[in-house]
Amino acid sequence: MSCTHIPRITLTLCALALCLQLLPEALQSLLYFDRALLSGSPVASLSLITAHWIHADWSHLVWNLVALGVLGTILEQHSARLLVSAVIAGTIGVNALLLSPVATIDQYCGLSGLLNTLLGVGLYEAWRRTRAPGVAFLACLCLCKLGVELWWQQSLFTDFSWPPYVPAHLAGLVATPLALLWANPGSIFHKMQVWRSA
């Protein structure tokens, strides 16, 4: 694939998040995930999608857009389907956590949970293609970072007006296999058949 390939999907998703941040604050507040509002209005169910694309403040947005730009471009260079599968799986994974009884927050916004799905998919694909020790080392570093953040319940590198909800990062990472299954269903089923016949 050409190195000059324009990551259209990634750029569109970044533009979406930027446009939502430009909305008046009164409208932005309707886009956050808010558990209390979900039972009262069918329209509030849309927040299960919009909450991932709206941010607490501009610093929050910039950090997430940089990560989305990098990870999204890398995935999209390999396969647009891979990127779309990761975004959908990450959304489902984080929402499953937010709606579960174990969730400890009532409001949520931002891309960080979903971005961990993109990170997981990107690391898996890099390892599958290269088997490079550097990829395994990077994956270990990412897991250690997540472990420390879960222990401290605090993000290591960022501090926004809303405290980060670190379990959403884990939920996003856990959604990685779902994204890979959707992106490459044939290869997964082929591997299962090979294992059975071995």
Side-chain angles (χ1 to χ4, degrees), residues 14-33:
C14 288
L16 168 66
L18 180 59
C19 288
L20 292 178
Q21 199 67 23
L22 292 171
L23 290 173
E25 286 187 22
L27 285 178
Q28 287 185 30
S29 65
L30 299 175
L31 303 179
Y32 298 132
F33 168 82

Side-chain angles (χ1 to χ4, degrees), residues 34 59 63 111 116 118 120 161 175:
D34 190 329
S59 178
W63 272 96
L111 277 168
N116 277 270
L118 273 65
S161 54

Side-chain angles (χ1 to χ4, degrees), residues 3-163:
C3 292
T4 59
H5 173 72
I6 298 172
R8 291 183 177 87
I9 298 173
T10 301
L11 291 174
T12 300
L13 293 174
C14 288
L16 168 66
L18 180 59
C19 288
L20 292 178
Q21 199 67 23
L22 292 171
L23 290 173
E25 286 187 22
L27 285 178
Q28 287 185 30
S29 65
L30 299 175
L31 303 179
Y32 298 132
F33 168 82
D34 190 329
R35 188 187 300 273
L37 297 178
L38 281 181
S39 58
S41 166
V43 176
S45 300
L46 290 175
S47 69
L48 291 170
I49 296 172
T50 59
H52 300 279
W53 301 96
I54 192 75
H55 291 80
D57 53 41
W58 283 96
S59 178
H60 189 198
L61 175 72
V62 169
W63 272 96
N64 279 346
L65 285 190
V66 168
L68 176 61
V70 172
L71 293 170
T73 298
I74 291 170
L75 293 186
E76 195 170 350
Q77 293 288 343
H78 290 302
S79 162
R81 182 174 181 164
L82 193 62
L83 172 59
V84 172
S85 295
V87 169
I88 294 171
T91 302
I92 291 171
V94 175
N95 285 346
L97 170 65
L98 294 174
L99 294 171
S100 74
V102 300
T104 58
I105 59 170
D106 293 322
Q107 293 183 313
Y108 177 84
C109 71
L111 277 168
S112 57
L114 187 157
L115 287 171
N116 277 270
T117 311
L118 273 65
L119 176 62
V121 170
L123 287 170
Y124 171 82
E125 284 296 314
W127 172 254
R128 185 180 67 81
R129 292 168 188 270
T130 68
R131 293 293 196 267
V135 175
F137 179 70
L138 181 58
C140 288
L141 281 181
C142 291
L143 288 173
C144 287
K145 173 186 174 289
L146 180 58
V148 169
E149 289 178 337
L150 285 167
W151 180 264
W152 284 348
Q153 287 300 302
Q154 174 61 46
S155 179
L156 288 181
F157 303 118
T158 56
D159 184 24
F160 306 121
S161 54
W162 280 19

